[in-house]
Amino acid sequence: MANITMLVTKFILMGFSDKRELQVLQAVLFLLIYLTALVGNLLIILLTTLDQHLQSPMYFFLKTLSLLDLCFISVTVPKAIIQSFTQNHSISFLGCVVQVFLVVSFACTELGLLTVMSYDRYVAICCPLQYQVIMKKGACEQMVSASGLSGVVSGFLNTSVTFSLPFCRSNFVQQFFCEIPSLLKLSCSEKYIAEIGALIVTTSLGIMCFISILVSYIHIFSMVLKIQSMEGRSKAFSTCIPHLVVLTVFLTTGSSAYLKPVSESPSAWDLLVSVFYTMVPPTLNPIIYSLKNKDMKAAFWKMHRKTVFKNSNNNNNKNSKANTSFSSYKQGANLVNSKRLSAI
């Protein structure tokens, strides 16, 4: 039977389960994860913006990463939460296009930014005397801009190719957001030549980033092992290991989602992998970088003490104003009484 091309105006995101109880449970879990990521990343942005001691290139990249993570997780998770609570799982065709573009763009930009951060650590540990010269403000901004540009190009390329395919099988997407592998299952075309070409370009970019990161860390660890002081070694490892953990989770789950062959039947593993690369890195980044970083913790407690002290001063000022008002009122009352007595 010949495939009939459908004029798709919307997609239905199937999510994890049809049962109402499981949908609510999923929404609550997603909400908790989203709030954790939101608070953590906003706190890092706030600290690195306000504290004068957190103005080095490393914290500039960390602030950019937190801002990027906020955007990345906000593309998919809030929509999934609302759909689970309202049981309205539809998304417009244009909304799906925008979601695919933003997910791919933010994911590729994050990979580029993580590559830049690994280079920053390489220069800081292996070339400390040249660090201020190499990692100037202008150079840092150019590297971040290059990461963003590569992400936008990858997003545009993959999105335009995906939605140029005809859809004829269904409009039910077996995922909690619009993801390219899930959309390819709905296509009438059995040949994904254009999509394979776009995937090759994106994969090549990913491989280049991975090789750059690998080379940077080979030099970093070889230099760290030469450090005589155990304190110096532990400090270097505590800076680099969290970066590697987040990077490994992001790369392995992201490549697993996009490089595996397209299958007709949905699986729980596909959903779990998508959760890991879209939600885990944005949530883990602020936790890892904050808990393992002494400067970040010091900046947090400094801001906390300032806030408490400011609130305490405000309360004292309010109390003093209240006492002054009461004294003025008492003096006025005494004056009125004395005038009354004199009148009598």
Side-chain angles (χ1 to χ4, degrees), residues 292-319:
K292 293 291 183 180
N293 191 299
K294 293 180 180 179
D295 294 333
M296 290 291 293
K297 288 189 286 187
F300 171 76
W301 288 115
K302 180 181 177 182
M303 186 180 71
H304 177 70
R305 285 193 296 269
K306 281 186 177 180
T307 305
V308 172
F309 182 72
K310 186 177 180 181
N311 291 335
S312 177
N313 283 342
N314 289 337
N315 291 332
N316 291 334
N317 290 334
K318 288 179 182 179
N319 292 334

Side-chain angles (χ1 to χ4, degrees), residues 197-217:
L199 189 62
I200 288 174
V201 173
T202 306
T203 304
S204 300
L205 176 66
I207 291 173
M208 289 172 58
C209 291
F210 176 74
I211 292 174
S212 300
I213 293 168
L214 188 63
V215 171
S216 295
Y217 274 100

Side-chain angles (χ1 to χ4, degrees), residues 33-251:
I33 293 172
Y34 182 69
L35 290 176
T36 302
L38 187 69
V39 172
N41 285 293
L42 283 176
L43 183 61
I44 286 181
I45 293 171
L46 187 65
L47 290 175
T48 52
T49 302
L50 298 179
D51 197 290
Q52 295 299 318
H53 298 92
L54 303 179
Q55 302 302 316
S56 66
M58 183 181 78
Y59 294 109
F60 169 71
F61 294 133
L62 182 56
K63 178 168 66 174
T64 307
L65 180 64
S66 294
L67 182 61
L68 184 63
D69 281 336
L70 269 182
C71 297
F72 189 23
I73 197 171
S74 297
V75 172
T76 56
V77 177
K79 177 74 173 174
I81 294 170
I82 294 170
Q83 287 172 342
S84 297
F85 278 130
T86 62
Q87 292 188 299
N88 179 16
H89 297 275
S90 64
I91 183 172
S92 66
F93 185 87
L94 181 60
C96 193
V97 172
V98 172
Q99 197 173 59
V100 168
F101 171 74
L102 292 178
V103 166
V104 176
S105 297
F106 287 139
C108 292
T109 301
E110 180 149 344
L111 179 58
L113 186 59
L114 290 171
T115 306
V116 170
M117 292 176 73
S118 69
Y119 176 71
D120 172 72
R121 291 300 84 207
Y122 158 73
V123 177
I125 294 174
C126 299
C127 312
L129 298 179
Q130 301 175 359
Y131 183 76
Q132 296 298 331
V133 177
I134 296 174
M135 304 303 293
K136 293 185 293 186
K137 183 179 179 180
C140 295
E141 291 174 348
Q142 288 175 3
M143 285 187 275
V144 170
S145 299
S147 301
L149 181 61
S150 65
V152 170
V153 170
S154 298
F156 178 78
L157 185 62
N158 284 275
T159 304
S160 58
V161 167
T162 300
F163 288 96
S164 65
L165 298 173
F167 298 102
C168 63
R169 294 174 183 174
S170 172
N171 67 336
F172 288 86
V173 180
Q174 301 294 335
Q175 191 55 269
F176 68 93
F177 68 98
C178 288
E179 188 183 46
I180 291 177
S182 300
L183 290 169
L184 292 179
K185 298 175 186 178
L186 311 180
S187 173
C188 309
S189 177
E190 298 295 335
K191 297 179 180 179
Y192 307 112
I193 298 176
E195 180 59 37
I196 290 173
L199 189 62
I200 288 174
V201 173
T202 306
T203 304
S204 300
L205 176 66
I207 291 173
M208 289 172 58
C209 291
F210 176 74
I211 292 174
S212 300
I213 293 168
L214 188 63
V215 171
S216 295
Y217 274 100
I218 288 174
H219 286 288
I220 287 171
F221 287 127
S222 62
M223 182 61 67
V224 168
L225 292 175
K226 295 177 183 178
I227 298 176
Q228 299 295 328
S229 169
M230 286 297 297
E231 184 180 353
R233 284 189 188 183
S234 62
K235 185 177 180 180
F237 278 121
S238 66
T239 304
C240 298
I241 294 299
H243 183 198
L244 276 180
V245 170
V246 175
L247 184 66
T248 302
V249 172
F250 183 69
L251 281 177

